Amino acid sequence: MEIAPHYAPAEVEEKWYKFWLEKKIFHSEPDNRRPYVVVIPPPNVTGVLHMGHMLNNTIQDVLVRRARMMGRNACWVPGTDHASIATEAKVVNMLKERGIDKRSLDREEFMKYAWEWKEEHGGIILKQLRRLGASCDWDRTAFTMDPIRYESVIRVFCDLYRKGLIYRGVRMVNWDPKALTAVSDEEVIYKESQSKLYYLRYFVEGEDKYIVVATTRPETILGDTAVCVHPEDERYSWLKGKKVIVPSVGRVVPIIMDEYVDREFGTGALKITPAHDINDYNLGMKYGLPSIDIFNDNGTLNSEGGKYVGMDRFACRKQIVKDLDEQGLIEKIEDYVNKVGHSERTDAVIEPKLSAQWFMSMTEVAKKALEVVEDDTIQFHPEKFKNTYRHWLENIKDWCISRQLWWGQRIPAYYLDIEGRQETIVAETAEEALRLAQEKFGSTVKAEDLRQDEDVLDTWFSSWLWPISLFDGIRNPDNEEIKYYYPTDDLITAPDIIFFWVARMIMAGEEYRKEVPFRHVYFTGIVRDKLGRKMSKSLGNSPDPIGLIEKYGADGVRMGMLLTAPAGNDLPFDESICEQGRNFANKIWNALRLVKGWTVSDELQQSDDNAKSIQWMEQRMAAVLEGIEYDFDHYRLSEALMKSYKLVWDDFCSWFLEMVKPAYGSPVDRETYSATLGIFERLMCILHPFMPFVTEEIWHLLKERCESATIMLQHYPMSVFYDQRMLDDFDRTRELIAGVRGIRNSKGLSPKESLDLYVKGQHPSQFDGIVMKLANVGKIEAVEEKMDGAVSLMVGTTEYYVPMSSNIDVAAEVEKLKGELAYAEGFLASVMKKLSNEKFVNGAPEAVVNNERKKKADAEQKIEALKAQLKAFGC
RNA sequence: GGAAGUUUAGCUCAGCCGGUUCAGAGCACUUGCCUUACAAGCAAGGGGUCACUGGUUCGAAUCCAGUAACUUCCACCA
């Protein structure tokens, strides 16, 4: 059989992915097996696959594939998020490009365009995930706005409203003047920026005196309704009860006194604009000040803006400063660094704004959600995120859930004007709303009288139901699927959505299933470039994932990412790491070429050495598997991968295959051959979760499997009892072989030149045949005394001699021995220091002391041997 | 302003409850090799005052306190 020397991933990947899909290997139905469930963090329909997705989904796939091979009924549910603000913005842009203004459309027309856009672009990212090898159950692909999810959201809204957990109120909210909607506190990103601090003069009414007030937002003076100073601030006590004139506007406003004011900041006097600052709003409420809103929704000045009406807020700022300056009302302007809130989605500067919004009260649900993490019903990996989580939940504020958009679940609240009052009916459908309205207010109420709320719900108000709604557990809480698949097992996500999503899913789980939505949360790190910067479009430092897959193979990229990504650690991504993955795939590929190139003989008896080699490899595999199991149990995926990597590359390729490899032209016995294939096959199973494509391919080629088989249905190997003593003996043997090779290396001898080996002391002779083969040793014999004309090496306390045909370099040999002697003596001294310390001998545990005694004996023996050797050289 | 985390080899990290020659791994590096599986490779090597200071202890990379640097999260002063 001819196999190319380089592994070519492209066609292999396409072939097997198609095969897995055809065989429906990824599909799950409830049965009597134990389920293993992961729900995907639904990427935004606007999203394009980036390195963060790659990392996150690779991790999910590793866990899912391993669980599947371990006999669990693995179900990984994919889907996308409708991302209301982001998508609506995309659609608006698309319309603009086509010359259509959103405002010229009605809701229905707009939604038609939006769905069109979604159908066209919304599935890209899921398709890209297939290239990575993601073993999602695509038959279950969901969307946060598909009928089941949509209805679930509406039901939950109604239910929470009835329970009194959802209410409508006029509050100060974060207004995004670009997207023209309110956003939640979590969607505001504070960025440090270079601002100015303007010192403005407010003249006292009827006097020629003034007070200076500092502000970063001079345009908001148009909405000023008071100036506040600290009641104990003696500088301003003369102002008590007086009124001042707002510059430019000429409005007369009172001086109020409140301890809220920081006397140290600015001039110690604060202008109060209740409509445009949360703190001012609070003070306004406290002192009954009027609230003057000076902005339109898009951030331009409204009719309260006087001569600035219609101007953009930032243009207005410039103009007003200029005007005030001309009037001599500016005392001074200072540079000032402060943090300004930006919208997460549009990056527009957030405007605090008073408006009627829907809120969900969080205090009660937060308590339960905190409890299940505190008591480890849900475990976080790494654990440190517990702190972040606790802090947020303990200081939680109500969640603003309404958005002034069209793309999303429309709030199922209906308004009805009755005798000048506005009544609110919350119902799942318009028909039900009408029925309820008629019951309450009489049959005269007609459908036209009901006006549905124009707003939609926050995207996260559908995402938080995801683990339940995916299995239709909101609408049909007792259906077989939700009972079987819920709660899910592991959630793999980035730490930046711990509040947006993780915490709220836990709340929803408690509220609607009385059970946590998952057992473990694995927080991945953030993928950065090698300079430590976040990957972003504007920096252009984000590699194209599909390009990487094409260059290194999906397996190579997966491995590269996982190798440097312990849970919670940021991942400084450098493309070259994928090379290691690619090289590894190639290494395995070539091991296959080697084994498949052997001729097999049925007559040939298995040698003892081959039997030993197999025995050792089996033991070794069992031991390493034990470690891998531990790593998976503790979500240490990079460690598990590294162990697998070394098991295959070092133990299997560098040692085992070299040990059993027949001499050129000679056949291998049947028994060894089968055992080798068996081991190889199991190694592929161990590796499969990490590198699904190359392992599937090799697994097939190894035994020329029938086409319908797949490695995915093989059992993941488990560790078994192993003989540690044998492994230790072999480690000594490895050391010996390396030592002999080292001698050859340093003496410039050819590997082809056979050497002899003499042993003084204890020696695990069971591996002698292997030593002879791998170190090219002709014979191994025991001796009693140091040998002349030989180079020596030590393994543990055993001495080995390799006679040299040519003269050996005495000086170099002496030098080497002296170095070893000095080290051994130093070591002995440190051991003696401990042993001569009475407190140590009495205080330390006996095992530790005995160990020190053994170290002492060994060191002494070694020193003696070294001295004897040196003496032989005449030193 | 508050909190958390990190600091170990050139890079990325592992070192659990203090004690094995404990100072490790992978990559990178050096030297020698195209040895008929693999140069995307083989063999053999070099490399670290465990951030700093002090303390606890017979014994500290590991525990405690302080300092410094970096990172993240939360809050926010106009």
Side-chain angles (χ1 to χ4, degrees):
Chain A
M1 184 171 114
E2 272 305 310
I3 305 174
H6 280 173
Y7 170 63
E11 53 197 275
V12 170
E13 288 172 10
E14 201 189 329
K15 174 176 70 179
W16 290 117
Y17 203 84
K18 218 173 121 205
F19 171 80
W20 292 325
L21 288 180
E22 275 164 16
K23 298 282 290 172
K24 290 211 160 283
I25 303 286
F26 303 157
H27 183 63
S28 166
E29 290 290 335
D31 60 20
N32 53 11
R33 287 176 298 165
R34 189 174 157 214
Y36 173 80
V37 189
V38 171
V39 298
I40 206 169
N44 290 347
V45 281
T46 52
V48 182
L49 192 70
H50 58 63
M51 294 312 290
H53 295 121
M54 295 282 279
L55 172 63
N56 181 279
N57 287 288
T58 298
I59 293 168
Q60 292 177 73
D61 197 46
V62 169
L63 296 174
V64 169
R65 283 180 185 265
R66 182 165 180 270
R68 191 181 286 120
M69 290 175 80
M70 287 169 76
R72 309 254 315 248
N73 185 349
C75 184
W76 180 12
V77 191
T80 46
D81 190 297
H82 67 280
S84 76
I85 298 185
T87 308
E88 182 144 338
K90 287 255 178 198
V91 175
V92 168
N93 271 340
M94 177 201 76
L95 290 172
K96 205 184 267 170
E97 276 166 26
R98 293 201 215 164
I100 304 171
D101 185 351
K102 181 193 165 189
R103 281 169 298 184
S104 72
L105 300 175
D106 66 21
R107 188 178 196 117
E108 218 169 296
E109 287 166 335
F110 177 83
M111 289 300 274
K112 228 180 76 198
Y113 284 115
W115 277 107
E116 221 169 76
W117 187 91
K118 186 261 169 189
E119 293 309 325
E120 202 173 320
H121 301 96
I124 294 173
I125 198 159
L126 297 184
K127 288 214 178 66
Q128 290 177 312
L129 283 181
R130 296 172 201 221
R131 292 293 297 277
L132 185 66
S135 64
C136 303
D137 183 353
W138 300 108
D139 298 339
R140 294 179 176 273
T141 304
F143 176 52
T144 49
M145 250 169 82
D146 63 22
I148 296 180
R149 266 48 69 176
Y150 197 110
E151 270 184 45
S152 302
V153 166
I154 298 302
R155 273 207 193 193
V156 163
F157 183 94
C158 296
D159 179 64
L160 292 175
Y161 179 78
R162 279 191 290 271
K163 286 175 178 160
L165 287 171
I166 282 182
Y167 62 92
R168 189 168 192 247
V170 175
R171 298 290 139 91
M172 186 67 82
V173 295
N174 309 298
W175 185 262
D176 178 338
K178 200 163 165 190
L180 303 180
T181 177
V183 296
S184 68
D185 294 345
E186 288 73 29
E187 285 163 299
V188 181
I189 314 289
Y190 287 91
K191 296 186 193 171
E192 202 148 276
S193 55
Q194 271 299 333
S195 305
K196 303 260 187 228
L197 193 54
Y198 303 88
Y199 289 76
L200 311 180
R201 293 174 179 159
Y202 286 57
F203 276 87
V204 178
E205 188 188 24
E207 294 180 36
D208 200 24
K209 290 193 236 168
Y210 61 84
I211 173 173
V212 176
V213 173
T215 178
T216 52
R217 303 197 54 192
E219 71 279 13
T220 60
I221 60 170
L222 300 170
D224 278 359
T225 53
V227 166
C228 186
V229 295
H230 196 280
E232 283 156 31
D233 194 334
E234 287 164 11
R235 291 175 294 176
Y236 298 121
S237 49
W238 60 276
L239 277 168
K240 196 168 181 186
K242 299 199 171 169
K243 296 195 167 177
V244 293
I245 300 161
V246 179
S248 169
V249 195
R251 187 185 302 124
V252 177
V253 299
I255 292 285
I256 59 171
M257 303 208 164
D258 194 276
E259 284 163 3
Y260 168 77
V261 176
D262 178 357
R263 277 175 279 185
E264 307 301 315
F265 189 89
T267 59
L270 172 68
K271 65 185 217 55
I272 306 292
T273 320
H276 298 294
D277 182 279
I278 180 67
N279 298 303
D280 292 10
Y281 174 72
N282 292 337
L283 285 170
M285 294 292 278
K286 191 168 167 184
Y287 293 96
L289 300 171
S291 173
I292 302 172
D293 191 335
I294 61 167
F295 293 123
N296 294 312
D297 286 353
N298 65 2
T300 56
L301 275 289
N302 66 13
S303 56
E304 293 288 344
K307 66 188 237 204
Y308 306 102
V309 68
M311 275 179 104
D312 180 74
R313 50 192 169 147
F314 299 114
C316 172
R317 180 178 303 173
K318 269 192 192 152
Q319 189 59 46
I320 213 165
V321 167
K322 198 169 162 239
D323 293 349
L324 289 174
D325 200 26
E326 279 166 11
Q327 295 165 43
L329 291 172
I330 294 190
E331 177 99 356
K332 58 177 172 175
I333 301 173
E334 283 177 352
D335 283 329
Y336 184 63
V337 176
N338 65 346
K339 289 193 176 173
V340 177
H342 289 70
S343 166
E344 193 204 20
R345 292 288 171 205
T346 66
D347 206 40
V349 173
I350 289 295
E351 196 63 56
K353 186 180 168 72
L354 205 53
S355 70
Q357 302 286 346
W358 287 89
F359 294 88
M360 173 162 173
S361 84
M362 301 300 271
T363 329
E364 279 309 306
V365 282
K367 272 184 200 156
K368 284 185 222 158
L370 181 56
E371 206 178 289
V372 291
V373 170
E374 288 290 322
D375 69 13
D376 285 335
T377 309
I378 296 175
Q379 285 180 39
F380 283 179
H381 307 276
E383 227 186 330
K384 65 177 176 188
F385 288 108
K386 251 172 126 166
N387 294 322
T388 315
Y389 182 81
R390 183 189 311 115
H391 185 261
W392 187 70
L393 284 173
E394 282 174 350
N395 297 285
I396 198 160
K397 290 189 201 122
D398 285 358
W399 175 15
C400 175
I401 54 174
S402 44
R403 297 289 180 276
Q404 288 64 52
L405 302 165
W406 282 342
W407 180 245
Q409 286 91 0
R410 188 169 177 182
I411 291 176
Y414 300 81
Y415 305 113
L416 176 67
D417 291 322
I418 295 270
E419 295 155 10
R421 288 194 322 273
Q422 190 181 62
E423 295 288 342
T424 304
I425 310 273
V426 169
E428 284 178 37
T429 60
E431 294 75 41
E432 197 195 333
L434 179 62
R435 194 174 50 75
L436 287 173
Q438 288 174 340
E439 270 173 27
K440 218 170 162 186
F441 306 109
S443 53
T444 54
V445 177
K446 289 188 290 294
E448 307 87 84
D449 300 334
L450 290 173
R451 197 167 36 78
Q452 185 174 358
D453 197 300
E454 291 295 332
D455 294 350
V456 298
L457 288 159
D458 179 9
T459 292
W460 299 101
F461 197 83
S462 48
S463 322
W464 78 316
L465 305 174
W466 193 241
I468 307 172
S469 65
L470 278 180
F471 302 109
D472 203 6
I474 298 287
R475 302 186 316 161
N476 301 303
D478 294 318
N479 81 70
E480 290 309 309
E481 292 231 322
I482 189 82
K483 282 198 279 186
Y484 181 72
Y485 289 119
Y486 192 94
T488 71
D489 292 89
D490 298 326
L491 177 78
I492 290 84
T493 192
D496 50 351
I497 53 175
I498 185 169
F499 310 133
F500 278 120
W501 197 44
V502 180
R504 288 173 185 159
M505 277 193 290
I506 295 173
M507 295 171 186
E510 289 296 322
E511 190 68 28
Y512 287 100
R513 300 302 302 174
K514 305 274 172 274
E515 202 171 6
V516 297
F518 30 71
R519 304 284 186 212
H520 299 271
V521 184
Y522 180 114
F523 289 103
T524 66
I526 294 164
V527 182
R528 297 171 178 279
D529 69 6
K530 57 181 162 180
L531 299 175
R533 301 173 304 183
K534 271 192 185 173
M535 292 202 167
S536 72
K537 269 185 223 154
S538 52
L539 281 173
N541 59 351
S542 178
D544 165 35
I546 300 299
L548 286 177
I549 288 174
E550 273 156 11
K551 194 162 167 196
Y552 301 101
D555 292 325
V557 179
R558 289 168 65 114
M559 178 166 163
M561 305 211 50
L562 280 184
L563 271 178
T564 40
N569 273 21
D570 281 1
L571 174 139
F573 183 81
D574 183 358
E575 194 180 310
S576 67
I577 194 82
C578 298
E579 235 171 84
Q580 198 181 346
R582 179 198 59 177
N583 294 355
F584 185 44
N586 196 51
K587 180 72 183 177
I588 313 166
W589 185 252
N590 277 288
L592 174 83
R593 288 181 69 211
L594 172 69
V595 174
K596 294 302 284 185
W598 290 346
T599 38
V600 187
S601 161
D602 286 311
E603 281 79 53
L604 197 63
Q605 274 288 101
Q606 185 183 43
S607 67
D608 288 349
D609 287 337
N610 279 1
K612 259 289 166 259
S613 301
I614 291 162
Q615 205 186 335
W616 167 76
M617 187 66 215
E618 296 275 1
Q619 306 273 312
R620 180 74 193 163
M621 195 150 58
V624 173
L625 266 168
E626 188 179 68
I628 291 175
E629 278 158 24
Y630 176 88
D631 289 337
F632 270 106
D633 287 346
H634 294 82
Y635 293 82
R636 295 161 35 142
L637 269 59
S638 359
E639 294 276 315
L641 174 57
M642 184 47 74
K643 285 193 175 83
S644 314
Y645 173 80
K646 287 198 274 189
L647 177 67
V648 171
W649 196 308
D650 298 343
D651 295 323
F652 184 66
C653 294
S654 298
W655 291 95
F656 175 76
L657 288 180
E658 293 297 334
M659 280 148 70
V660 298
K661 178 161 114 180
Y664 181 65
S666 311
V668 66
D669 66 273
R670 172 70 60 191
E671 212 174 328
T672 301
Y673 182 67
S674 326
T676 302
L677 292 191
I679 289 165
F680 206 149
E681 188 176 56
R682 273 175 289 157
L683 291 172
M684 290 306 95
C685 292
I686 293 169
L687 234 35
H688 179 263
F690 299 107
M691 310 179 88
F693 295 107
V694 69
T695 51
E696 177 84 87
E697 175 74 0
I698 288 179
W699 186 80
H700 279 264
L701 293 172
L702 265 179
K703 292 194 176 170
E704 277 134 53
R705 312 250 175 199
C706 67
E707 285 191 351
S708 63
T710 169
I711 191 173
M712 291 184 64
L713 299 178
Q714 291 294 296
H715 282 297
Y716 190 89
M718 300 302 283
S719 69
V720 290
F721 175 79
Y722 54 89
D723 179 1
Q724 186 60 50
R725 236 178 324 168
M726 184 186 192
L727 292 174
D728 291 343
D729 278 354
F730 191 79
D731 284 344
R732 291 173 57 107
T733 304
R734 285 189 192 200
E735 207 179 317
L736 172 60
I737 292 169
V740 175
R741 285 167 172 172
I743 288 170
R744 215 190 285 276
N745 224 339
S746 62
K747 304 292 170 209
L749 300 177
S750 158
K752 290 182 176 132
E753 191 175 331
S754 176
L755 298 172
D756 291 338
L757 187 61
Y758 295 90
V759 190
K760 180 168 170 279
Q762 282 194 321
H763 165 71
S765 58
Q766 57 174 330
F767 298 118
D768 278 2
I770 289 159
V771 175
M772 290 161 82
K773 181 171 181 179
L774 296 192
N776 191 12
V777 166
K779 64 174 177 183
I780 300 175
E781 271 177 29
V783 289
E784 294 298 322
E785 288 305 321
K786 195 255 170 234
M787 291 186 76
D788 290 334
V791 180
S792 68
L793 81 123
M794 285 192 106
V795 177
T797 57
T798 308
E799 291 166 70
Y800 293 90
Y801 303 101
V802 180
M804 292 286 118
S805 54
S806 55
N807 281 336
I808 60 168
D809 183 346
V810 175
E813 203 60 20
V814 167
E815 181 93 353
K816 189 186 89 185
L817 289 170
K818 277 185 173 165
E820 282 176 34
L821 181 63
Y823 183 82
E825 282 176 333
F827 177 68
L828 179 64
S830 80
V831 173
M832 289 308 290
K833 196 178 150 201
K834 282 189 195 174
L835 282 173
S836 58
N837 184 334
E838 251 179 69
K839 282 181 184 167
F840 172 72
V841 178
N842 298 331
E846 201 169 328
V848 172
V849 177
N850 283 341
N851 214 333
E852 290 304 312
R853 292 205 170 105
K854 176 158 187 312
K855 274 161 49 176
K856 173 176 175 251
D858 286 354
E860 282 169 348
Q861 196 185 336
K862 193 162 184 173
I863 287 166
E864 205 175 308
L866 288 166
K867 278 182 174 163
Q869 286 186 42
L870 280 166
K871 204 171 166 192
F873 281 116
C875 301

